C-alpha cells in the first residue's frame, strides 16, 4: 500500500519511488529519502502506506476493523483492495497526513507491488 497527495493512474504509479517512513537520514546512502524530493529529480514519489498507517504493531483505531477483516480473509487481493479503499476514505476524511515538502494533504491510497531492490512500484492491483 502506498500513499500520495495526488490522484495517480497506473502509468504514473508504475516506476514511482516509494519513500519509507524512516526517510530522515537513518537509512543507508542507497536508500530513497526525503532528500530525494529536493534533489531536482522529477520522479513520481509515493509513501510506504503500510509503515505510515498500519506499522508492525500499531494501527489507527478507525482502520482496525478493516485490517482485521482483510487478515481474516488471508490478505487476498480483494480483501486488501477493500482495506486500501478504507484507508483512502479515511485519509480524505481525516486529513491526517501532510507532505512536509509541499504542505499538501496525503489523501490517496493504492494497493501496489514494490520491487524490494529498487523501492519502486512494479504494478497496481485493481
Amino acid at each position: 500500500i502506498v500513499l500520495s497527495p495526488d490522484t495517480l493512474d497506473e502509468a504514473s504509479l508504475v516506476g514511482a519511488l516509494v519513500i519509507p517512513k524512516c526517510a530522515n537520514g537513518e537509512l543507508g546512502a542507497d536508500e530513497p529519502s526525503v532528500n530525494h524530493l529536493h534533489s531536482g529529480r522529477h520522479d513520481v514519489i509515493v509513501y510506504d502506506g503500510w509503515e505510515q498507517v498500519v506499522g508492525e504493531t500499531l494501527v489507527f483505531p478507525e482502520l482496525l476493523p478493516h485490517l482485521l477483516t482483510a487478515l481474516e480473509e488471508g490478505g487476498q487481493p480483494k480483501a486488501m483492495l477493500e482495506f486500501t479503499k478504507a484507508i483512502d476514505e479515511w485519509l480524505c476524511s481525516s486529513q491526517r497526513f501532510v507532505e512536509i515538502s509541499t504542505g499538501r494533504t496525503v489523501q490517496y491510497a493504492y494497493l501496489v507491488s514494490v520491487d524490494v531492490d529498487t523501492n519502486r512500484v512494479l504494478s497496481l492491483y485493481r
Side-chain angles (χ1 to χ4, degrees):
I1 297 173
V2 295
L3 311 176
S4 176
D6 300 310
T7 302
L8 299 170
D9 60 14
E10 186 169 7
S12 298
L13 271 170
V14 172
L17 181 63
V18 180
I19 303 295
K21 183 177 181 179
C22 57
N24 61 2
E26 297 174 14
L27 301 172
D30 294 336
E31 296 288 339
S33 69
V34 173
N35 295 332
H36 182 88
L37 297 172
H38 305 290
S39 70
R41 295 183 186 177
H42 298 287
D43 291 338
V44 172
I45 303 294
V46 292
Y47 299 93
D48 186 327
W50 193 259
E51 289 181 351
Q52 294 289 345
V53 175
V54 179
E56 293 180 25
T57 58
L58 300 173
V59 64
F60 289 97
E62 300 89 346
L63 298 174
L64 182 59
H66 304 284
L67 173 62
L68 293 176
T69 298
L71 294 175
E72 287 171 4
E73 295 181 22
Q76 296 297 315
K78 182 178 178 186
M80 292 306 296
L81 282 167
E82 287 298 316
F83 179 50
T84 304
K85 180 180 175 187
I87 292 171
D88 193 85
E89 291 170 354
W90 175 76
L91 286 169
C92 287
S93 67
S94 71
Q95 298 193 4
R96 185 81 178 200
F97 295 107
V98 174
E99 189 176 52
I100 293 172
S101 64
T102 66
R104 296 182 305 157
T105 304
V106 175
Q107 310 183 67
Y108 304 100
Y110 304 94
L111 183 61
V112 299
S113 62
V114 176
D115 183 312
V116 296
D117 294 324
T118 65
N119 241 31
R120 292 195 178 264
V121 174
L122 291 174
S123 62
L124 171 67
Y125 290 94
R126 295 176 185 237

